[in-house]
Amino acid sequence: RADSGITDLASTKGKKLGFADPDSTSGYLIPNVSLPADIGAPIAEFYSETGFGGGHENLVLGVLDGTWDVGTTFGSGQGEFSEGYTSGNLRIMVDKGLLDMDDLVEVWQSPIIPNGPLMVSNKLPAETKAQVTAFFKALPETDFECFDAFTAGGYTNFVDAGQPLYQTIIDARKSVIGG
């Protein structure tokens, strides 16, 4: 919170850190593996307590009500912080009237996290996979309103992506679950 006295990452030492959800890439996985390098210590040693806030929106509300001193959530990092960025949980909460960004201070941003992929089952016929892929890639031009709603706004298109784009996420997940 802006009134907490926390102004930067160093000033979060000894505080209670809330993660959004154990299954969240942005709200747990990436902070869990990236934050230690930036704080110079294991999370369990740097923070007095950690836990989960029950999802991104609930975690932010928990920071606002003092349950957590620091919390993880997702935002695009593009555009204005004061508006909750162009997309993500912060922007959704601002747009719903649940959050005034002046009540928060940003103390850390993770490395870039690619958006989750849209996938098609390999069990489908090649023609069906091609049709589904073509539909989504054309959506920004064929029905921008639908595309904008589907992506929660602020995006321009879909692009082809393969495993290399997600390798950091794969490696981070393996470091948490083993294997």
Side-chain angles (χ1 to χ4, degrees):
R1 289 189 342 230
D3 64 358
S4 68
I6 295 172
T7 57
D8 57 17
L9 192 56
S11 63
T12 67
K13 185 173 184 166
K15 305 293 185 187
K16 295 186 299 182
L17 170 65
F19 293 107
D21 183 281
D23 291 324
S24 172
T25 301
S26 59
Y28 176 64
L29 180 62
I30 295 301
N32 192 51
V33 299
S34 298
L35 194 53
D38 291 341
I39 58 177
I43 289 172
E45 292 177 16
F46 193 82
Y47 293 101
S48 64
E49 180 183 333
T50 62
F52 295 101
H56 287 274
E57 190 171 290
N58 286 336
L59 190 279
V60 172
L61 295 174
V63 169
L64 292 172
D65 74 16
T67 302
W68 303 103
D69 300 308
V70 185
T72 60
T73 193
F74 71 101
S76 65
Q78 304 297 307
E80 299 297 322
F81 175 78
S82 63
E83 297 172 5
Y85 295 119
T86 59
S87 64
N89 181 56
L90 297 172
R91 181 55 180 253
I92 291 167
M93 291 182 73
V94 167
D95 288 349
K96 287 181 178 179
L98 298 174
L99 176 62
D100 180 341
M101 293 300 290
D102 288 340
D103 293 337
L104 297 177
V105 174
E106 181 179 68
V107 296
W108 182 74
Q109 281 191 4
S110 74
I112 292 175
I113 302 170
N115 284 334
L118 295 174
M119 299 178 286
V120 179
S121 172
N122 282 331
K123 295 177 183 177
L124 293 173
E127 181 181 339
T128 303
K129 290 189 284 188
Q131 288 172 332
V132 171
T133 300
F135 171 81
F136 277 103
K137 287 182 79 174
L139 193 57
E141 288 80 35
T142 59
D143 190 342
F144 185 78
E145 187 177 327
C146 177
F147 168 79
D148 199 47
F150 180 74
T151 60
Y155 295 93
T156 58
N157 64 358
F158 291 117
V159 297
D160 291 325
Q163 184 169 333
L165 179 65
Y166 295 95
Q167 194 60 52
T168 301
I169 306 302
I170 293 165
D171 293 344
R173 188 70 181 149
K174 284 181 178 178
S175 76
V176 172
I177 64 171

